[in-house]
Amino acid sequence: MSKKLKQIAIYGKGGIGKSTTTSNLSAALAEMGLRVMQFGCDPKSDSTNTLRDGKFIPTVLDTLREQSAVKAQEVIFEGFRGIYCVEAGGPSPGVGCAGRGIITAVELFKQQRIFEKLDLDVVIFDVLGDVVCGGFAVPIREGIAEHVFTVSSSDFMSIYASNNLFKGISKYSNSGGALLGGVIANSMGPPYSREIINDFVAKTGTAVVEYIPRSITVTQSELQGKTTIEAAPQSAQAEVYRSLARKIAAHEISKTPAPMEAAALRGWAAFWADRLLAVEQGKVMSPGEQI
Ligand code: ADP
Ligand code: MG
């Protein structure tokens, strides 16, 4: 028996920084000498761009539309430091199920035993967080990913999406589904962002794996079509991604989260709304202002 393959899924609201975080994580894991595949499962199909100088790659679904039989090797492209890049793709806009690409692509890879053949250490699925249909739940439901991490900022809609993800994970947790590894707190910086996310993880029985600051270095790197690990390897931000990678490489045990029910989540949001209003009105000092 060869080494154990670690299969991870990263979920989170659209635009929250999943692909940015995932690509930097893949790059940092590859730097550590691990054999990594990044599997984009968002119909936007841009997950792996910054691992390949900003270039898009043909998706599994597009390739399947053009030819009846597809060899997995035809849809795997090499990225930064030999990372294997794949994009599942989506249906033609307005037609069909967006989760279909994940199911089809994952099945193709399983049939052809690709993860074993490539002798991978880590596969990371970059998945949409608004778990609106069965397809997006595939990595959780089918136990394809063993560990799920969610990327969330302190914005309510992002926390709301993470809480919904927790509901999905809990639902399948007794039937061999994936469990939660933790929350990757992204775009930290605004007053109370850490406190809000810390309170959310405390209420849901989960934990923050890493705090990732909002950083102009990320923007600059993205504009060059690269990850921060590649474009600014000496930066403080690159160190944060390396720290995340070390924790994820060492991560062993995931848990079933305890999502908040609708009323509890509303109450929680109302509490923070009052708190932030008090800060804005100068009744309470923000943590940054404390001496
Ligand atoms: P998603 O994959 O969740 O849809 P992306 O990873 O594409 O989101 O990120 C959306 C935008 O946010 C990108 O322009 C990205 O550069 C930016 N972004 C993500 N994380 C950070 C960060 N920590 N600091 C600055 N910009 C970020
Ligand atoms: Mg993305």
Side-chain angles (χ1 to χ4, degrees), residues 13-20 44 186 213-215 218 222 237:
K13 178 187 162 298
I16 207 63
K18 292 179 298 295
S19 301
T20 307
K44 271 198 290 177
N186 191 34
R214 180 151 193 93
S215 150
V218 172
E222 185 187 44
Q237 189 77 4

Side-chain angles (χ1 to χ4, degrees), residues 42-271:
D42 188 320
K44 271 198 290 177
S45 310
D46 62 350
S47 173
T48 57
N49 285 17
T50 54
L51 294 171
R52 294 185 33 87
D53 293 322
K55 293 194 216 87
F56 280 83
I57 58 177
T59 71
V60 178
L61 280 199
D62 283 345
T63 312
L64 273 169
R65 272 192 281 268
E66 282 155 25
Q67 51 195 76
S68 53
V70 171
K71 289 201 194 74
Q73 282 81 352
E74 295 174 88
V75 289
I76 302 174
F77 297 84
E78 194 182 328
F80 177 71
R81 281 190 181 248
I83 295 168
Y84 297 102
C85 301
V86 179
E87 297 286 349
S92 313
V95 191
C97 161
R100 191 73 233 158
I102 306 178
I103 299 173
T104 311
V106 169
E107 255 157 32
L108 185 83
F109 277 53
K110 268 182 154 179
Q111 274 165 12
Q112 300 182 20
R113 300 182 55 80
I114 293 305
F115 301 146
E116 294 87 342
K117 283 187 192 155
L118 292 177
D119 194 27
L120 298 176
D121 295 296
V122 189
V123 180
I124 312 179
F125 296 91
D126 172 8
V127 199
L128 257 185
D130 309 274
V131 191
V132 284
C133 85
F136 290 117
V138 163
I140 299 177
R141 199 183 60 207
E142 311 281 315
I144 287 168
E146 204 181 342
H147 308 285
V148 175
F149 292 86
T150 175
V151 176
S152 181
S153 71
S154 60
D155 288 346
F156 182 67
M157 287 319 291
S158 147
I159 285 178
Y160 180 79
S162 294
N163 193 62
N164 277 343
L165 170 72
F166 294 174
K167 289 183 184 171
I169 294 174
S170 306
K171 192 174 156 81
Y172 299 112
S173 61
N174 290 327
S175 48
L179 298 180
L180 190 83
V183 176
I184 301 169
N186 191 34
S187 290
M188 294 293 103
Y192 277 105
S193 47
R194 277 195 189 218
E195 287 76 5
I196 292 174
I197 207 95
N198 284 346
D199 193 31
F200 171 65
V201 299
K203 295 281 188 308
T204 51
T206 59
V208 172
V209 199
E210 192 63 78
Y211 299 94
I212 302 180
R214 180 151 193 93
S215 150
I216 192 89
T217 314
V218 172
T219 314
Q220 282 165 349
S221 307
E222 185 187 44
L223 290 170
Q224 296 172 54
K226 295 188 192 316
T227 60
T228 300
I229 293 285
E230 184 178 7
Q234 312 293 342
S235 63
Q237 189 77 4
E239 273 314 311
V240 176
Y241 289 123
R242 288 189 188 106
S243 165
L244 171 68
R246 284 191 296 271
K247 288 177 191 169
I248 290 196
H251 180 86
E252 293 289 346
I253 298 170
S254 292
K255 294 183 185 148
T256 306
M260 282 192 248
E261 289 307 325
L265 188 61
R266 265 199 307 277
W268 180 85
F271 164 81

